[in-house]
Amino acid sequence: MRLKPILVNAETSSRWATLALRTGLLFFLWSQTSVSLSGQLSTPDHLAEPGFWPTQSGASRGEYVGSDACATCHAAKVASQKNTPMAQNAMRAQDSEILHFHPEMKFATGLYHYEIKTDSKHSVYTVADGTHTVTAILLWAFGIGRAGQSYLFKKEDGKFYEARVTFFDTLKTIDFTPARALPSPKDIQQAMYRPVGMAEIARCFGCHTTAANIGERFDENNLMLGVTCEACHGAGAKHAASAQALLLAGMSDEPGAIFNPAQLNPADSVDFCGACHGTWWDVKLSAVKGVSSARSQPYRLEGSKCWGKGDARLTCIACHDPHKPLQTDASAYDAVCSSCHVTTGEKKTVNHPGEPCPANTKNCVSCHMEKVYVPEMHYKFTDHRIRIVHPNEAFPE
């Protein structure tokens, strides 16, 4: 088995990752896991390789044509994709339905009182400590609100700052932004926000919008809201021109110059989605542990016993069509399970090696993909580590 090298550059590596590389801890991680890592990489490693990969910087804004151009040939997919959470997960704060539906939200801890008030024009974020009051107008909102929605704003210096509070649907109000809780800040400014550098802004918008990074620079004014066609298929100008030329010529050949993620091998396919949802190596290098890792579905999936060396029937897109809204009915995934598992009385084959379930023949994921509560998100996430869940067992790492 040949493993590709782990390449972590200065911009993307954390102190933990650097220490791990220097002391050989990455080899320890590899040697202690049963997960097949052949060909799998961290997202920075994939971005360092030639060819398209999600979140990479585009060469020029002119290479992007927008999803309306894609609809010329793919009308049904474009129409459906616009209703997905991915397509709707970024917006100007003034357009956030959540903020308008909850026009006054409050949260308090210790000396500090947090508030977001929304009117027809904008949302004002305020923090007060009884002596001082600071305010800011929210600029960007991320997340559709199924779990939560977080916010960015700018100050007079033109730099980005992350609000210390996030809206959570289960609470119907604001609380500390995940991983940003700060019960004892040194001053009201630290209580209010966290400065966000441009490298992080590029990654943030790279996953929540399309064509945000052009020529290695963040292009806030010309980005496309949400994850649209070209976020996963690459800039489409050449492809659209090729399709138009073939159409005018009356030819039915498949136009080229576009990336098709469906052709990736299983490991790369899961890493592809992991560019924003967390690959196996991304999570390991970040040192995230416990139930918080349930938010990184690719990582959890590859920890499943049935993942093995990778199987096209077990990739993200085998269960989730990225062009359609998320299926929340457990029975919608039964067909995927039965593509590997036989039913009681059937004989296993090379193509159907999975044991029959002695308990049930439907709603498989309701038992084998446990929903786990992630405290900082105030939300239960579906754990994609497929397994037999035993009562009161510790969360499997």
Side-chain angles (χ1 to χ4, degrees):
M1 178 177 69
R2 182 178 65 86
L3 296 180
K4 292 183 179 179
I6 303 301
L7 306 174
V8 182
N9 59 40
E11 180 178 327
T12 57
S13 63
S14 65
R15 291 182 179 179
W16 183 91
T18 303
L19 178 63
L21 286 167
R22 289 176 178 174
T23 61
L25 288 179
L26 287 183
F27 176 78
F28 172 80
L29 289 173
W30 168 77
S31 66
Q32 294 299 306
T33 181
S34 60
V35 178
S36 172
L37 300 180
S38 179
Q40 292 177 246
L41 300 170
S42 69
T43 296
D45 297 333
H46 277 294
L47 290 171
E49 290 192 325
F52 173 75
W53 203 254
T55 75
Q56 74 175 185
S57 181
S60 73
R61 184 60 178 82
E63 292 184 342
Y64 293 84
V65 292
S67 57
D68 287 344
C70 304
T72 302
C73 296
H74 309 284
K77 284 188 175 182
V78 171
S80 177
Q81 198 274 336
K82 287 182 177 180
N83 294 318
T84 64
M86 290 193 301
Q88 300 175 357
N89 72 359
M91 66 215 74
R92 297 280 180 176
Q94 65 195 43
D95 298 323
S96 167
E97 292 184 2
I98 288 173
L99 290 174
H100 287 285
F101 193 76
H102 301 275
E104 187 172 337
M105 298 188 287
K106 297 181 179 181
F107 163 65
T109 179
L111 296 175
Y112 298 99
H113 292 256
Y114 298 81
E115 181 181 72
I116 297 178
K117 274 191 174 182
T118 301
D119 59 25
S120 59
K121 294 182 179 179
H122 48 228
S123 294
V124 179
Y125 173 43
T126 302
V127 180
D129 63 3
T131 302
H132 305 93
T133 299
V134 287
T135 65
I137 296 176
L138 298 181
L139 182 61
W140 286 98
F142 294 111
I144 63 170
R146 176 179 285 118
Q149 187 176 81
S150 297
Y151 309 103
L152 291 176
F153 63 90
K154 287 183 176 179
K155 294 171 63 177
E156 294 79 5
D157 59 10
K159 296 179 180 179
F160 281 98
Y161 297 84
E162 179 187 52
R164 191 68 71 176
V165 294
T166 284
F167 167 82
F168 295 99
D169 184 65
T170 52
L171 304 179
K172 305 302 180 188
T173 191
I174 53 176
D175 200 341
F176 277 129
T177 297
R180 307 290 183 245
L182 201 61
S184 302
K186 65 180 181 181
D187 53 34
I188 196 169
Q189 283 75 27
Q190 190 179 52
M192 183 186 194
Y193 57 74
R194 181 182 69 91
V196 186
M198 290 311 299
E200 185 178 351
I201 285 295
R203 294 194 298 272
C204 182
F205 279 86
C207 280
H208 285 272
T209 66
T210 304
N213 301 301
I214 302 297
E216 304 300 333
R217 299 190 59 159
F218 175 56
D219 186 1
E220 184 178 8
N221 296 322
N222 296 301
L223 58 78
M224 290 179 271
L225 296 177
V227 177
T228 63
C229 309
E230 291 165 293
C232 295
H233 293 283
K238 291 181 180 179
H239 176 73
S242 175
Q244 183 66 21
L246 289 171
L247 181 65
L248 292 174
M251 301 173 65
S252 59
D253 294 345
E254 185 71 23
I258 202 71
F259 186 84
N260 184 2
Q263 296 179 355
L264 292 170
N265 66 52
D268 282 342
S269 178
V270 175
D271 274 3
F272 189 88
C273 300
C276 290
H277 294 278
T279 72
W280 195 92
W281 278 113
D282 289 342
V283 176
K284 283 298 181 183
L285 290 171
S286 71
V288 172
K289 294 182 179 295
V291 293
S292 295
S293 68
R295 297 172 60 187
S296 300
Q297 298 88 351
Y299 167 75
R300 295 298 293 174
L301 176 64
E302 292 174 352
S304 306
K305 181 179 179 180
C306 48
W307 171 252
K309 295 182 179 179
D311 190 313
R313 293 170 293 186
L314 204 62
T315 61
C316 307
I317 60 174
C319 291
H320 305 295
D321 185 339
H323 306 102
K324 296 179 180 179
L326 179 69
Q327 285 275 8
T328 56
D329 183 356
S331 64
Y333 302 100
D334 288 347
V336 180
C337 301
S338 62
S339 70
C340 291
H341 289 268
V342 298
T343 58
T344 302
E346 287 185 325
K347 291 184 178 181
K348 293 189 295 182
T349 66
V350 173
N351 291 326
H352 282 73
E355 297 283 351
C357 179
N360 212 332
T361 58
K362 59 183 180 180
N363 298 330
C364 311
V365 299
S366 63
C367 287
H368 298 286
M369 297 179 72
E370 180 185 27
K371 290 187 179 294
V372 296
Y373 183 72
V374 180
E376 68 267 25
M377 293 298 299
H378 305 283
Y379 187 79
K380 283 188 173 182
F381 284 81
T382 298
D383 184 10
H384 282 61
R385 181 164 175 162
I386 304 166
R387 65 190 191 279
I388 297 175
V389 180
H390 300 289
N392 302 317
E393 71 175 345
F395 184 75
E397 295 287 354

